[in-house]
Amino acid sequence: MTFSDRFPSDRTLVRGRVLSFKRRPQRAGDTDAYTYLEDGVIVIDAGKVTDVIDASEIGRVGGKGVVLHDFSGKLILPGFIDTHIHFPQTQVIASYGEQLLEWLTRYTFPAESRYGDPAFAAAQARFFIDELLRNGTTTAVCYGSVHKGAAEALLTESERRGTAMFVGKTAMDRNAPPDVLDTAQSAYDDTASLITAWHGRGRQKVVITPRFAITSTPEQLEALGNLARAHPDCLVQTHLSENLEEIATVERLFPERSDYLDVYDHYGLVGPKSLMGHAIHLTPREIVRMSESGAVAVFCPTSNLFIGSGLFDYKGLEGEPYPVRIALATDVGGGTSYSMLATAAEAYKVMQLRGQKLSAIEAFHLMTRGNAEALGEPDLGRIEPGAHADLVVLDSTARPAMAHRLAAGNCDLEEELFVLMTLGGEQNVQEVFIGGQPQGLHRADE
Ligand SMILES: [Zn+2]
């Protein structure tokens, strides 16, 4: 519907059950950690949230030309944020039978070699962002391939859509086939030129991305460390202690370093802007250093289970006396789902196997505000004045099994969220808004 009185405006209103987190929940039932309006209206001007009000007050924000998207009864959350995903692995996902190092050699490196073709990379970028949006993910931190052009293709597509993406050209100069190798110098030059052209251009950001210590020479890690020092506002992403064979290989390649994390630390790649993928098999010293440095351990449960890497120690890392910052991610294509809901379900199961609990509100906080904080992005992952109006609209009853489960009666919000993460996925995403613009997953009433 369109309001027809008072003042002209390009204001947008989105109505529904609005949920947004204020801080990290301490436990299930920590209702002070979030705001929830059973019938709320998000007021959006120029792509940003300007107010969140009760629907009873809708008259005061309407006006000529104001468009209302009415999702009454549906849950509206900040768009999900995926903090670790591989753009060139959309045709690697669900590859059979190997653990990390063989999986890379047999499936991943051949697939990534195709991204040297710019037209191929551009077509894949369109699919990739479509797939993220279908799953309610509006921002992702992405590994590209070794090719600068592939990173440019993804950044270009993201700019066209208006999404906020973090993209790295993956650097690797040894222990892989020649067609996916760069050099220390070219990794530095290509990443530096991407930063100049793209970092902070609109909503796009560039991530300094050494794949991991096995595929980077000391010279390359040093070059990228220098780049990180020169650009302290850029995120750094890499992989850390995912697999025992990987760790043993790193120890052989860097015998002078005290442990795996110390390799990255030595080259200036460990700090509060560092996203360390996996971080499963950490030593006590590494945990202390992760905590002190403010680096983020990125939990990728579907990948850790699928590649058989191990069980992330969420509560062990989160706890005192050396709390480590934690983010949640899919790690497609080692991961098996683009859905952050499905990812949260597997996180819950990994934690069960460790005798730990992940409450639904902790999980939904992680997918939204928690992950935004891991990226140092205060205007993402929340629905409050000043935040980007990137939203996901969820229908908890989209699957018969879920509707049936919820019909059992007296489900409160947290129980509904737990059903959503345990049984839910792409089919529950009814619509996504990017900067206040619906993306057409669903034809909203206007
Ligand atoms: Zn990964």
Side-chain angles (χ1 to χ4, degrees):
M1 66 171 282
T2 300
F3 287 89
S4 57
D5 56 342
R6 296 197 299 223
F7 46 88
S9 171
D10 58 1
R11 174 177 285 179
T12 298
L13 307 177
V14 183
R15 180 173 182 172
R17 301 163 57 211
V18 182
L19 174 64
S20 179
F21 287 88
K22 296 184 284 185
R23 62 163 170 78
R24 181 162 66 100
Q26 304 298 314
R27 63 192 171 281
D30 185 2
T31 55
D32 291 340
Y34 59 85
T35 55
Y36 173 63
L37 287 174
E38 182 70 26
D39 188 3
V41 174
I42 304 163
V43 184
I44 301 165
D45 281 300
K48 293 203 169 182
V49 176
T50 55
D51 208 351
V52 184
I53 62 171
D54 192 90
S56 62
E57 303 174 69
I58 196 167
R60 73 175 172 83
V61 293
K64 189 169 173 16
V66 173
V67 175
L68 170 66
H69 300 278
D70 192 345
F71 293 100
S72 294
K74 304 294 188 287
L75 272 174
I76 304 176
L77 283 88
F80 298 140
I81 298 172
D82 187 347
T83 52
H84 182 136
I85 185 167
H86 294 262
F87 159 53
Q89 293 181 15
T90 53
Q91 293 178 319
V92 174
I93 189 170
S95 292
Y96 172 77
E98 305 290 0
Q99 296 213 343
L100 177 64
L101 300 181
E102 297 76 23
W103 177 84
L104 286 169
T105 303
R106 182 170 174 191
Y107 299 115
T108 306
F109 293 152
E112 293 195 7
S113 71
R114 301 181 66 192
Y115 285 70
D117 172 357
F120 179 79
Q124 298 297 310
R126 288 192 290 278
F127 171 83
F128 182 76
I129 294 182
D130 279 343
E131 187 62 19
L132 291 177
L133 297 181
R134 278 193 284 271
N135 283 279
T137 297
T138 51
T139 285
V141 187
C142 311
Y143 286 72
S145 67
V146 72
H147 315 96
K148 180 186 172 197
E152 290 170 330
L154 183 54
L155 288 159
T156 300
E157 182 64 15
S158 178
E159 181 175 64
R160 190 177 74 78
R161 308 289 188 98
T163 48
M165 292 288 164
F166 296 73
V167 179
K169 180 216 102 80
T170 296
M172 42 196 297
D173 66 344
R174 64 170 165 179
N175 293 325
D179 53 359
V180 289
L181 289 182
D182 55 11
T183 67
Q185 187 66 49
S186 72
Y188 180 94
D189 292 344
D190 285 352
T191 307
S193 106
L194 284 169
I195 292 170
T196 301
W198 283 98
H199 189 66
R201 171 167 150 178
R203 305 190 69 189
Q204 312 315 315
K205 297 207 171 160
V206 173
V207 186
I208 296 166
T209 307
R211 175 175 225 115
F212 67 158
I214 292 177
T215 50
S216 286
T217 59
E219 293 72 28
Q220 181 166 77
L221 293 175
E222 184 172 12
L224 295 178
N226 290 337
L227 200 56
R229 269 186 287 275
H231 299 280
D233 61 328
C234 282
L235 290 169
V236 173
Q237 64 180 345
T238 190
H239 296 82
L240 172 70
S241 296
E242 177 176 3
N243 166 289
L244 297 175
E245 191 185 343
E246 169 208 16
I247 295 168
T249 306
V250 171
E251 284 172 359
R252 278 197 302 278
L253 291 170
F254 296 90
E256 68 284 11
R257 303 271 65 90
S258 60
D259 48 48
Y260 196 163
L261 183 66
D262 190 45
V263 173
Y264 297 131
D265 216 356
H266 179 74
Y267 296 107
L269 293 163
V270 177
K273 301 295 280 187
S274 302
L275 304 178
M276 314 307 271
H278 307 298
I280 297 170
H281 309 284
L282 299 180
T283 66
R285 192 209 76 84
E286 289 176 303
I287 293 170
V288 171
R289 180 62 190 140
M290 286 286 290
S291 178
E292 288 174 349
S293 68
V296 177
V298 183
F299 181 15
C300 308
T302 74
S303 172
N304 298 161
L305 294 170
F306 182 73
I307 311 185
S309 301
L311 304 176
F312 184 86
D313 185 11
Y314 189 103
K315 292 293 173 182
L317 291 177
E318 182 188 55
E320 299 291 342
Y322 299 106
V324 175
R325 298 166 69 205
I326 296 173
L328 183 67
T330 66
D331 192 30
V332 165
T336 51
S337 175
Y338 292 86
S339 168
M340 291 300 291
L341 296 172
T343 299
E346 299 307 291
Y348 177 86
K349 295 172 195 169
V350 166
M351 291 173 66
Q352 280 279 47
L353 287 167
R354 278 198 170 264
Q356 303 173 2
K357 288 183 181 176
L358 179 66
S359 69
I361 53 171
E362 286 175 283
F364 277 82
H365 169 263
L366 266 178
M367 291 181 236
T368 57
R369 185 176 185 131
N371 277 352
E373 288 177 350
L375 308 185
E377 293 290 329
D379 295 332
L380 296 177
R382 61 195 71 182
I383 303 173
E384 60 187 37
H388 291 282
D390 297 342
L391 310 170
V392 58
V393 181
L394 296 172
D395 178 357
S396 304
T397 62
R399 291 180 60 202
M402 297 175 73
H404 184 71
R405 166 67 176 81
L406 291 167
N410 295 324
C411 259
D412 65 11
L413 175 66
E414 291 190 29
E415 191 172 355
E416 179 185 350
L417 293 175
F418 189 66
V419 170
L420 252 178
M421 71 185 238
T422 303
L423 299 177
E426 176 181 339
Q427 63 273 33
N428 299 99
V429 177
Q430 186 169 355
E431 182 57 290
V432 163
F433 288 77
I434 301 294
Q437 297 298 316
Q439 299 299 297
L441 300 183
H442 168 86
R443 297 300 304 170
D445 295 329
E446 292 183 7

